[in-house]
Amino acid sequence: MSKASKRIQKEFSEINQKPPHGMNVDLGPDGDLYKWIITMTGPQDSPYAVSIRPFLGTRLPCIVEAATMGGKFKIQVSFPSEYPFKPPKIHWQTKIYHPNVSSDDKGYMCLGMLRDGEWKPNTMMSAALEYIRQLLVEPDPEDSTEGAIAQQYKEDRKEFNKQAKKWTKDHAK
């Protein structure tokens, strides 16, 4: 087993023993250790949480209040054979309205810590995943892949939140 495989296996085991909040981590197709599929729920304090209004016409003994639950987003993590000396690649498989994620079918994420020049071999994937989830709460418009969305985030937060909620409702099921 290569050094990369050992490191990836170790991190995968650790993440599954104590998964980051709001995330589930699985191996990719055919159990490929070098491809992970992350299912992430949108944080409650973000526009990526979906409001659900239960049907109140049921015969339940109690009144059920409206609940908020995060949209479900799929993210693919691809590890290079040189991991941990080269960073993994992150691709959002679920479309998301976000200044740091390309809105095309590639779903490329602009994240400083995952750039070749900024990646540190001692960075653990659990920390990177936590940082990605935090970007849903606080996008970084200064390091964006979608300039128009970043501009809207800075200048018209209300409209940004409206669009982000709509995309979440439409795509993050």
Side-chain angles (χ1 to χ4, degrees), residues 5-151:
S5 295
K6 287 178 186 176
R7 167 77 181 262
I8 295 167
Q9 180 65 53
K10 179 179 185 266
E11 289 194 53
F12 182 77
S13 295
E14 289 173 359
I15 281 178
N16 275 294
Q17 287 174 5
K18 188 176 178 193
H21 181 73
M23 292 184 219
N24 185 41
V25 181
D26 291 307
L27 293 178
D30 302 321
D32 186 351
L33 185 61
Y34 285 79
K35 289 196 188 315
W36 293 1
I37 303 299
I38 314 299
T39 304
M40 179 184 304
T41 57
Q44 298 303 316
D45 47 354
S46 78
Y48 306 102
V50 178
S51 183
I52 299 179
R53 304 230 179 258
F55 178 64
L56 296 178
T58 62
R59 297 176 192 237
L60 296 174
C62 62
I63 297 174
V64 180
E65 294 183 22
T68 303
M69 108 183 238
K72 291 193 185 294
F73 298 91
K74 294 274 187 197
I75 302 166
Q76 180 177 302
V77 178
S78 300
F79 294 93
S81 59
E82 302 88 0
Y83 185 79
F85 301 102
K86 296 244 181 196
K89 301 291 183 207
I90 307 292
H91 297 281
W92 287 69
Q93 295 179 324
T94 305
K95 287 180 103 34
I96 184 169
Y97 191 82
H98 194 283
N100 303 107
V101 180
S102 66
S103 56
D104 61 11
D105 289 338
K106 293 182 175 76
Y108 172 75
M109 177 164 222
C110 190
L111 184 62
M113 73 185 299
L114 293 177
R115 288 194 184 106
D116 282 336
E118 296 183 40
W119 175 258
K120 307 279 188 271
N122 64 344
T123 303
M124 302 296 285
M125 270 313 297
S126 58
L129 292 173
E130 290 283 356
Y131 189 74
I132 290 167
R133 192 162 199 276
Q134 185 58 31
L135 273 178
L136 295 183
V137 176
E138 296 177 51
D140 182 2
E142 303 307 319
D143 191 18
S144 66
T145 59
E146 295 290 336
I149 297 174
Q151 196 69 23

Side-chain angles (χ1 to χ4, degrees), residues 156-172:
D156 189 354
R157 188 72 56 89
K158 185 176 179 181
E159 184 59 27
F160 167 81
N161 286 339
K162 179 180 173 185
Q163 287 300 318
K165 286 177 184 180
K166 182 182 182 326
W167 278 45
T168 299
K169 182 180 176 194
D170 292 347
H171 302 287

